[in-house]
Amino acid sequence: MAAAGGGSSKRTWVVDMEKKLKEADKSSEVSRWERHCIYRVPPCMTNIKSKAYQPQVVSLGPFHHGDSDLRPMEEHKCQALRQLLQRTERTFDELVDGLEDIAEQLEGMYMDLDGEWRRDGRERLLAMMIFDGCFLLEVMRCTADDGKQVGDYAHNDPIFSPHGILRPKLGLNMVAYIRRDMVMLENQLPLLLLQKLVEVENGNPPNDDFINRMVLKFLAQSSGPVPPGIGLGLHPLDVFRRSMLTGKCHQILSPQGIEEDNAIIRSALKLYEAGIRFKPSKTLSLHDIQFRSGTLSVPTVSVDDSTEYMFLNVMPFERLHVGVGNDVTDYVFFMNNIIDSAKNVALLSSKGIIQKAIGSDQAVANLFNTISRDVMLEPNSALVAVQRQVNGYFWKPWDVRRANLIHTYLRSPWAFLSLAAAIFLLGMTVMQTIYTVMQFYRDDNSSPPPSAPSPT
C-alpha cells in the first residue's frame, strides 16, 4: 500500500504521468502543430470588435456549426447537396468514399477541435464538411455565372436563384453576407476539401490554380491575382491574403543617421506640407510601397463595409500561423501612422490612394486607428526602411525649404504666376533704383566745373 505522504511506492497517476512525459517527442509536437491552419481567435484579439469574428448567415466548418442564428442556412445546404448530386449523377456514399482518405488531414487543420467531433469517429465531421463544401461550391458557381441559375433550383429560391443572388438586404445581397462570412478565421473550410469534392464530381482532380482562382474570383473581383504555381491555398482567407501580397518586397536600404525613436513616420498631412508627394502605386499589392525622389507610392485601397472584417481576421491569422509572415499587419500599422485624422483621409482620397464607400473621412480614419490597436511593426519589415527613408528626407533642412517653396508657390498655375509677377516687379524695382543712382552720378560728373572769380 502506498504511503500517504508519498513513500517508496509511487502513486499510479504519478507513474502514468512520468510515462507520458517520457513518450512526449518534440518531432511529434512539431508535426501536430504544423497541421493546424484554422484557429479560434483568442479573447485578447476579439476585444476590438467581437462581431467581426462571428459569422452572420452561414457556418462553414465545425467551430460555429449549430449556432442558433445560423441554423436557417442548414436547409439550403441540404438543397445544394441534393442539386449537386443530381446534376453530377453521384451519390452521397461516393462523396464519403472520396473524402475518407483525407479525413485525418481535414481534422488536423482545426486547432482545439471540440471532443464532440471525435466522439463518434470522424463520420460526423466528414458529413458536416461535405454539406458545407458542396454549399460553398454551389454558391460560387451561381455567382460565377452572373446570376444565371445553376441546377434545378426553384425560381424563387432565396439563395441559388437569380433572384436570391441579387436580392438586396440592408444594402447588401445574401451573397455579400456569405462572402463576408467566408473571410472569418473561425469560419474557414480547407481548400483541400473543395479540391477533393470537385475531383469526385468530375472524376479528375482539378489543379491547385483552378481552386485558388475560383475562390478568389468569388471573394474579391478587385484584388490582385494569385500567382500560379504557388500550390493549393490553405483556405479562402489564405488565398485572399496571398492575392493582396503579389510580387516581391522591394529591397530598400535604410538611410544612415536616423535614430530608432525617429523611425515612426509622420502623418500624411505633415509629410505633404513638407513637400512629400503622394501617388497610387502601379499595382494593388501591399508590397508595392516605395519612396523615391520625394514621392511616396502607396497601393490604392477600397474601404467599404467588409474592409474592417477582412483586416481583423487576416491579422490574427498572421499572428497564429507560424511562418505565414506579418505583411498585412505591417501595412495596417503603416496606414495607421499616416492617418491620424479625417484630413489625412481626405488628402489620400484626393490622390487616389483611398477609395471610400463607407461614408465620412472620419469613419475611415476611425477604422484604421481602431484595427491597429495592439499592433506592432516587425523589426525586419520592408516598411521600416520606407519609414526611415521618408524621415531622412523629412529632416533635411534644404529639402524641407525647397519643398515648402514648391508646396507654397508652385502647386498651381495661379500661385506660380503670382510668384513670377512678384519676382518681375522686384526685378523692375531694383533695375529702376540702379538706373536712378547711375543717372545721378552721370549727371554729377558731366556738370561744368565752377568758374574762377574775376579779378577786381
Side-chain angles (χ1 to χ4, degrees):
M1 182 175 178
S8 58
S9 299
K10 294 185 178 180
R11 297 179 178 87
T12 303
W13 69 270
V14 174
V15 175
D16 292 340
M17 182 61 68
E18 289 180 344
K19 182 180 179 181
K20 183 180 294 186
L21 291 173
K22 289 179 181 179
E23 291 175 350
D25 183 86
K26 182 178 180 180
S27 60
S28 63
E29 289 185 14
V30 171
S31 176
R32 178 169 63 90
W33 288 105
E34 282 180 344
R35 293 198 300 267
H36 298 324
C37 64
I38 302 172
Y39 308 87
R40 293 187 188 274
V41 183
C44 62
M45 297 183 189
T46 61
N47 56 7
I48 295 177
K49 187 174 184 177
S50 59
K51 184 180 177 181
Y53 310 97
Q54 298 287 330
Q56 302 297 303
V57 297
V58 61
S59 66
L60 300 171
F63 287 158
H64 290 276
H65 184 81
D67 288 2
S68 57
D69 293 340
L70 308 179
R71 285 174 187 165
M73 195 61 71
E74 296 303 309
E75 178 184 348
H76 300 291
K77 292 180 183 180
C78 292
Q79 186 79 332
L81 177 60
R82 186 182 305 114
Q83 290 292 333
L84 185 146
L85 292 176
Q86 289 178 358
R87 190 173 64 251
T88 60
E89 298 181 348
R90 302 292 182 186
T91 65
F92 184 76
D93 192 51
E94 288 178 289
L95 293 182
V96 174
D97 289 342
L99 267 65
E100 276 187 330
D101 60 335
I102 63 167
E104 185 177 358
Q105 285 180 262
L106 296 176
E107 179 184 312
M109 291 182 178
Y110 292 90
M111 184 176 179
D112 298 330
L113 193 61
D114 291 340
E116 63 180 289
W117 294 105
R118 300 189 181 94
R119 193 170 299 130
D120 302 322
R122 296 192 177 95
E123 289 81 3
R124 183 170 176 238
L125 178 67
L126 203 57
M128 178 271 298
M129 299 193 80
I130 289 174
F131 275 86
D132 290 359
C134 291
F135 170 83
L136 200 54
L137 285 174
E138 291 290 275
V139 170
M140 291 191 291
R141 286 163 177 166
C142 289
T143 308
D145 288 338
D146 299 323
K148 296 179 182 178
Q149 191 159 331
V150 174
D152 191 26
Y153 294 100
H155 72 280
N156 58 351
D157 187 288
I159 301 296
F160 297 105
S161 69
H163 171 75
I165 293 292
L166 302 175
R167 181 168 59 89
K169 179 180 178 183
L170 301 177
L172 297 171
N173 53 42
M174 287 301 293
V175 170
Y177 282 100
I178 294 171
R179 184 180 289 118
R180 191 166 68 183
D181 285 351
M182 273 181 67
V183 299
M184 295 185 180
L185 180 56
E186 295 184 356
N187 209 41
Q188 295 300 300
L189 282 179
L191 295 194
L192 176 63
L193 167 69
L194 301 185
Q195 187 180 50
K196 203 68 176 179
L197 288 173
V198 174
E199 178 183 348
V200 175
E201 282 182 339
N202 302 330
N204 296 310
N207 61 41
D208 298 341
D209 294 337
F210 173 82
I211 299 296
N212 290 341
R213 286 195 303 269
M214 177 177 64
V215 171
L216 183 61
K217 183 179 180 181
F218 176 76
L219 281 180
Q221 294 82 358
S222 61
S223 67
V226 177
I230 61 172
L232 184 67
L234 298 172
H235 41 67
L237 182 64
D238 178 47
V239 172
F240 187 85
R241 177 185 174 275
R242 292 191 195 194
S243 73
M244 300 165 65
L245 301 169
T246 55
K248 296 181 179 179
C249 290
H250 298 285
Q251 296 298 319
I252 303 169
L253 297 176
S254 297
Q256 300 297 320
I258 303 298
E259 299 292 336
E260 290 290 335
D261 293 342
N262 292 330
I264 301 300
I265 198 170
R266 270 64 185 171
S267 71
L269 195 59
K270 289 183 179 179
L271 297 178
Y272 184 68
E273 289 173 349
I276 293 176
R277 299 180 298 278
F278 291 86
K279 72 174 185 179
S281 301
K282 294 181 180 179
T283 71
L284 297 178
S285 172
L286 302 189
H287 282 159
D288 199 6
I289 299 178
Q290 301 180 69
F291 182 73
R292 291 179 179 174
S293 303
T295 299
L296 183 59
S297 302
V298 184
T300 299
V301 58
S302 297
V303 182
D304 54 30
D305 291 326
S306 64
T307 304
E308 183 178 27
Y309 290 80
M310 180 271 294
F311 280 129
L312 285 176
N313 282 276
V314 171
M315 291 192 291
F317 176 59
E318 290 188 335
R319 289 192 191 185
L320 297 170
H321 194 68
V322 176
V324 75
N326 208 53
D327 304 79
V328 176
T329 304
D330 290 345
Y331 167 80
V332 170
F333 182 87
F334 176 86
M335 293 297 288
N336 176 57
N337 281 341
I338 64 174
I339 296 175
D340 62 3
S341 68
K343 293 181 179 179
N344 293 286
V345 176
L347 171 61
L348 295 177
S349 297
S350 69
K351 301 301 178 182
I353 293 173
I354 290 180
Q355 296 177 348
K356 63 180 188 297
I358 60 171
S360 67
D361 294 335
Q362 188 61 53
V364 178
N366 291 342
L367 185 151
F368 279 102
N369 298 158
T370 301
I371 66 176
S372 61
R373 193 181 304 163
D374 298 329
V375 168
M376 297 297 295
L377 192 64
E378 284 287 316
N380 58 348
S381 170
L383 291 181
V384 172
V386 171
Q387 293 187 162
R388 289 178 178 169
Q389 277 186 325
V390 172
N391 287 335
Y393 184 95
F394 184 88
W395 289 110
K396 288 181 180 178
W398 167 245
D399 286 335
V400 173
R401 294 190 188 98
R402 176 171 58 83
N404 285 333
L405 176 65
I406 294 173
H407 178 76
T408 304
Y409 296 107
L410 303 180
R411 61 181 175 178
S412 70
W414 297 113
F416 173 76
L417 289 175
S418 299
L419 176 62
I423 294 174
F424 177 76
L425 290 175
L426 178 61
M428 293 296 294
T429 302
V430 171
M431 290 179 63
Q432 184 178 13
T433 302
I434 294 174
Y435 177 79
T436 302
V437 172
M438 291 179 64
Q439 187 65 35
F440 171 79
Y441 281 107
R442 186 180 297 112
D443 292 343
D444 186 64
N445 291 334
S446 62
S447 61
S451 57
S454 58
T456 53

